[in-house]
Amino acid sequence: MDRAELFQTVLDSIIEGVILIDKDSKITFMNKQASLMLGIPVSQVINKSVTDAIPNTRLHIVLKTGVPEVNRIQQLGNTKIITTRIPIRDKTGAIIGAVAIFRDITSVQKMAEEVTNLREIEVLLKTIIESTSDAISVADENGRIVMVNKAYTKITGFSAQDVIGKLATVDIAQGESMHLRVAQTRQPIYGARLLVGPGKREVIVDVTPLFVRGEFKGSVGVIHDVSEIAKLTKELDEVKRLIRRMGAKYSFEDIIAESSKMKIAVTQAIKVASTPATVLLRGESGTGKELFAHAIHNASDRRDKPFVSVNCAAIPESILESELFGYTSGAFTGAKKEGKKGLLEEAHRGTIFFDEIGKMPLLLQSKLLRFLESKEIVPVGGTKPVRIDARIIAATNMNLEKMVQEGSFLPDLYFRLNVFPIFLPPLRERKEDIPYLAQHIIKKLNQQYGRLVEGISSDALRKLIHYDWPGNVRELENIMGRAMINMEADERIIKLHHIPPLEEIRHISSITKAGSHKQLLLEYEKGVILKALEENSWNVQKTAENLKISIRTLYYRMKMLGIKREGRRT
C-alpha cells in the first residue's frame, strides 16, 4: 500500500468528516464519513467548486482570508455539526488549500440534554423529599442508607452525615431494620412498630422496594411518629364533633310539600319553630323526620347556635350515656384524662335532635327525663350538676303508646316529649309530591354520580305513582338511583325500562322497622345478582343479558356490593 492509499484508508476510517480543497476552491478529497453526513456521493464533488457542491460551506472564505475557524456549530438539514476549518500552507507560508474537519453532534447534544434533564429531575426529587412532612429514608440494594430528609432528622435525632453510607440498623434503638428485611424479601412492609434514635421515639414504618427495569435497586421508608398520629386522631375527633354541631343544613324551602297532608305538617312545624317547645316528629321510616328537625332549628331563634344530632340506635348502649352526658377525669378505664363534654352540653343554647328515641335504653330514659325536668345534667363520674339550655326535638317511627303500655318506654318521658307532635305522612298518602320529589332526587344524584340526567318520562313516572312505597322517600331515592345506574352514559331521560322491578322488593318492606331500608335493598340486590351469576357460571355477559342491564352497570353494581368470585377478582 502506497502513501496515498494509506492516507485514503486512514481518513475513511475515522468518525469525522474531512473535505480538502485546493487553491482554486476545488474539492480534491472527501472521505466516506463526510459523504454520509452530507448525503452526497464522493464522485459528484471531486474537482468541483466547493461553493457549488457543499451547502453553507465556508472553506472558500478560510482559503481567501487565511484565518482558521475552530469548533464552529453549523446546521446541515436535520443534522447539527461542529466543524474546524484550517488553511493549508506550503513551506513558504503561501496558502495552497484548506481542510474542513467536522463531526455530527446531534446525538452528543441529545445525550447532554438528557443528562441535564436527569440532574434537574434529581434536584426536583430531592426538593420534594425535603419538603414533605413525612420522614423518609432511602436505602440501596445492600441496605445502606443513601438519602434522608429533614423530617427524618427531626424524628430520629440523626443527621444525614450520621447515617448516610451506613447500614439501615444505625438509627434503630429497638426492633429490626425494615430496609434490610425488604432487601432480603423484595416485598413491601407496612405498619412496623419500632423505637428509633437516641430518644427511643416510637414510630410506625412503611418500607417499599424500588425496582428499575425489573431489577431491585433499594427501598424507601416512610416513618410516622406515633405521638403525632395520636395528636392528629384527637384533632380529628374534635373536628367530627364540630361537624356534628354544625349539622343543621336544611330549611323549610328544602321540603317538597304539594300534597295537603304534607302542607299541614310543614305549617305546624313553622308555627312551633319560633317557640322553645319540645317537638316529637312521628312517621314511618324514610318520611323525612330529620329534614324537619333541621328546618325547625334553622327557623328558630337558635339558628346560629349548635345543632347536635344523636341517633339513639346507632350509638352502642355501653357508651351512649357518656356520649350524652359526658364524663369527668378518670371516670372509667380508657377515659380521657381531661374528661369530655357530652352531646347535651355541646347543644347548650342550641338544639339537640334525638333520632329513633324509641330505641333509647330505660336507664338513659330516666336520666333524660331528669334533664327535661331540671334542665341540669351530671356527667358520668361527677357530682356537680351542669345547667344546660337546649331545645329538644325527638323523632320515632315506633308506637310509643304501645311501648308505654308494655313498660319499655317511661310514661313521664313520653308526656315530656309529646308536647307538640307532628305526624309526617307516608309517601303513599302524598303521591302528588312524587313528580316534584323525583325531579329533586335527579338533581341530587346528578351531582353524586356525575351524570346529566334531565328528567323522567311520563310512563316511568306513572309507574312510580302507582306503587305504594312502603319505604317512603328513602325507597324512592334508592329506586331512582338504581334507575340512573341502569342508564347509558349518553341517555338524558329516565324511561320505563330503567326502573327496576318494584314488585321484587315489596316483600322486604314489611321488615324495615328492624333495620335500614336502604341496607335491606342492597342485600336483596346482592342476592339477586349472586344468584344470576351462579346460574350463568359467572359469565358476566350472559348474566347482564338475563338481568337486562349493561355489562358496565353489572360490573359497577358488583363492585359497589362487594360481589366477587372466591379466589378471583371481579
Side-chain angles (χ1 to χ4, degrees):
M1 181 182 295
D2 60 20
R3 291 172 62 88
E5 289 177 342
L6 179 62
F7 175 77
Q8 175 85 34
T9 302
V10 170
L11 292 184
D12 279 341
S13 301
I14 63 176
I15 62 172
E16 286 85 2
V18 178
I19 298 176
L20 289 172
I21 62 172
D22 61 17
K23 63 180 180 180
D24 298 319
S25 294
K26 291 183 178 179
I27 297 174
T28 59
F29 176 80
M30 183 168 72
N31 71 348
K32 290 182 179 178
Q33 188 64 28
S35 175
L36 289 173
M37 281 192 280
L38 295 172
I40 304 173
V42 174
S43 59
Q44 290 185 9
V45 297
I46 296 299
N47 294 322
K48 288 190 176 181
S49 172
V50 69
T51 55
D52 295 334
I54 308 299
N56 301 326
T57 184
R58 288 181 57 84
L59 268 178
H60 61 294
I61 297 175
V62 172
L63 181 69
K64 182 178 180 180
T65 63
V67 179
E69 295 181 352
V70 180
N71 293 334
R72 299 291 180 88
I73 303 296
Q74 186 174 341
Q75 192 74 34
L76 290 177
N78 296 325
T79 303
K80 188 175 288 187
I81 64 170
I82 182 168
T83 180
T84 295
R85 307 177 186 93
I86 303 172
I88 301 174
R89 299 177 186 271
D90 61 14
K91 294 180 179 180
T92 65
I95 297 175
I96 59 174
V99 60
I101 303 171
F102 50 96
R103 175 183 291 187
D104 181 355
I105 62 166
T106 305
S107 58
V108 175
Q109 188 176 36
K110 184 177 180 181
M111 290 175 61
E113 289 173 352
E114 288 177 353
V115 170
T116 301
N117 289 338
L118 287 173
R119 287 175 178 170
E120 290 177 353
I121 291 171
E122 182 182 7
V123 171
L124 179 61
L125 288 175
K126 285 183 177 179
T127 303
I128 292 171
I129 290 173
E130 284 293 346
S131 63
T132 181
S133 58
D134 287 326
I136 294 176
S137 64
V138 182
D140 63 17
E141 64 270 24
N142 299 313
R144 294 187 179 276
I145 295 177
V146 296
M147 183 187 298
V148 295
N149 64 352
K150 292 178 182 177
Y152 168 91
T153 298
K154 183 179 178 181
I155 287 182
T156 64
F158 289 114
S159 67
Q161 291 75 16
D162 294 331
V163 298
I164 287 179
K166 298 179 181 178
L167 279 176
T169 54
V170 65
D171 55 2
I172 297 175
Q174 182 177 320
E176 176 188 359
S177 168
M178 295 300 107
H179 279 301
L180 289 178
R181 188 190 292 182
V182 169
Q184 294 168 357
T185 65
R186 307 294 201 264
Q187 297 295 321
I189 296 171
Y190 301 106
R193 283 183 173 263
L194 303 171
L195 299 182
V196 298
K200 296 185 177 181
R201 181 171 289 188
E202 186 178 3
V203 297
I204 295 175
V205 179
D206 299 328
V207 181
T208 54
L210 298 174
F211 292 93
V212 178
R213 297 185 182 92
E215 184 179 352
F216 177 73
K217 289 295 184 181
S219 54
V220 58
V222 181
I223 305 168
H224 308 281
D225 187 350
V226 170
S227 62
E228 186 67 19
I229 293 173
K231 178 184 175 184
L232 292 173
T233 301
K234 181 181 177 182
E235 291 176 356
L236 179 60
D237 287 341
E238 293 302 318
V239 169
K240 286 180 177 178
R241 293 175 73 82
L242 287 173
I243 290 172
R244 186 162 45 195
R245 287 166 61 96
M246 299 183 292
K249 54 187 177 181
Y250 303 114
S251 67
F252 284 113
E253 293 180 356
D254 297 308
I255 298 175
I256 294 172
E258 296 297 324
S259 63
S260 58
K261 289 187 177 182
M262 198 62 173
K263 285 181 178 178
I264 290 172
V266 170
T267 301
Q268 290 177 328
I270 292 173
K271 286 181 178 179
V272 77
S274 59
T275 75
T278 299
V279 178
L280 181 61
L281 299 169
R282 310 288 298 267
E284 297 177 6
S285 178
T287 50
K289 295 184 290 294
E290 185 173 0
L291 180 63
F292 267 75
H294 286 224
I296 290 170
H297 172 79
N298 280 329
S300 72
D301 55 5
R302 297 171 181 257
R303 67 179 66 89
D304 297 325
K305 299 298 187 291
F307 176 87
V308 177
S309 180
V310 183
N311 188 317
C312 300
I315 302 176
E317 184 177 341
S318 58
I319 65 170
L320 183 56
E321 181 179 11
S322 61
E323 283 291 310
L324 280 180
F325 299 97
Y327 56 80
T328 59
S329 176
F332 51 84
T333 302
K336 294 182 179 179
K337 293 180 180 180
E338 66 274 19
K340 175 182 166 183
K341 279 185 179 182
L343 297 175
L344 275 164
E345 192 172 352
E346 283 190 3
H348 182 54
R349 295 184 179 176
T351 302
I352 185 164
F353 172 52
F354 290 101
D355 197 8
E356 300 198 54
I357 190 70
K359 301 288 182 67
M360 180 177 284
L362 275 171
L363 176 62
L364 291 185
Q365 288 181 31
S366 62
K367 290 197 70 170
L368 180 60
L369 176 61
R370 285 197 296 273
F371 164 70
L372 290 172
E373 291 173 341
S374 65
K375 297 298 181 183
E376 290 181 344
I377 63 168
V378 178
V380 176
T383 56
K384 184 179 179 181
V386 179
R387 189 157 187 84
I388 304 293
D389 171 24
R391 196 242 184 99
I392 305 295
I393 301 177
T396 184
N397 61 355
M398 302 176 73
N399 188 334
L400 294 185
E401 292 78 13
K402 184 179 180 181
M403 292 177 67
V404 168
Q405 292 175 1
E406 294 172 346
S408 58
F409 202 85
L410 296 178
D412 289 346
L413 179 58
Y414 168 76
F415 291 118
R416 285 282 183 181
L417 294 174
N418 201 37
V419 175
F420 194 91
I422 299 176
F423 292 87
L424 304 187
L427 187 56
R428 60 185 172 275
E429 295 179 10
R430 48 178 292 224
K431 291 191 174 181
E432 306 96 306
D433 294 331
I434 289 179
Y436 304 96
L437 287 168
Q439 199 62 39
H440 172 77
I441 291 170
I442 287 171
K443 291 180 181 178
K444 177 182 176 181
L445 295 180
N446 272 337
Q447 294 180 335
Q448 291 181 8
Y449 295 172
R451 303 293 292 271
L452 297 171
V453 178
E454 297 171 359
I456 182 169
S457 67
S458 56
D459 53 348
L461 188 60
R462 195 177 302 114
K463 182 173 183 178
L464 298 182
I465 292 173
H466 289 162
Y467 182 57
D468 59 8
W469 297 108
N472 296 297
V473 178
R474 192 174 293 132
E475 183 184 3
L476 173 61
E477 184 168 334
N478 182 276
I479 294 300
M480 294 289 291
R482 292 173 63 185
M484 286 180 65
I485 292 169
N486 289 338
M487 299 173 67
E488 297 300 330
D490 59 345
E491 291 183 298
R492 296 291 179 264
I493 301 296
I494 296 176
K495 296 182 180 179
L496 183 60
H497 67 274
H498 296 136
I499 304 294
L502 302 180
E503 294 73 17
E504 290 184 6
I505 58 173
R506 181 187 300 274
H507 74 280
I508 66 171
S509 301
S510 60
I511 57 173
T512 56
K513 293 181 181 180
S516 166
H517 184 79
K518 183 175 182 180
Q519 185 61 35
L520 290 169
L521 285 171
L522 292 175
E523 290 175 2
Y524 178 74
E525 182 183 3
K526 183 175 181 179
V528 171
I529 293 176
L530 274 171
K531 182 180 179 182
L533 284 166
E534 290 168 358
E535 289 176 350
N536 290 285
S537 301
W538 287 80
N539 184 311
V540 176
Q541 183 173 353
K542 289 183 179 178
T543 302
E545 291 173 357
N546 289 352
L547 293 174
K548 294 181 172 56
I549 59 176
S550 67
I551 294 178
R552 177 182 61 82
T553 297
L554 178 57
Y555 273 121
Y556 174 81
R557 298 310 295 170
M558 289 171 68
K559 182 178 180 181
M560 290 293 293
L561 296 168
I563 297 173
K564 56 180 67 177
R565 190 174 185 178
E566 187 175 349
R568 298 187 184 182
R569 294 183 179 179
T570 55

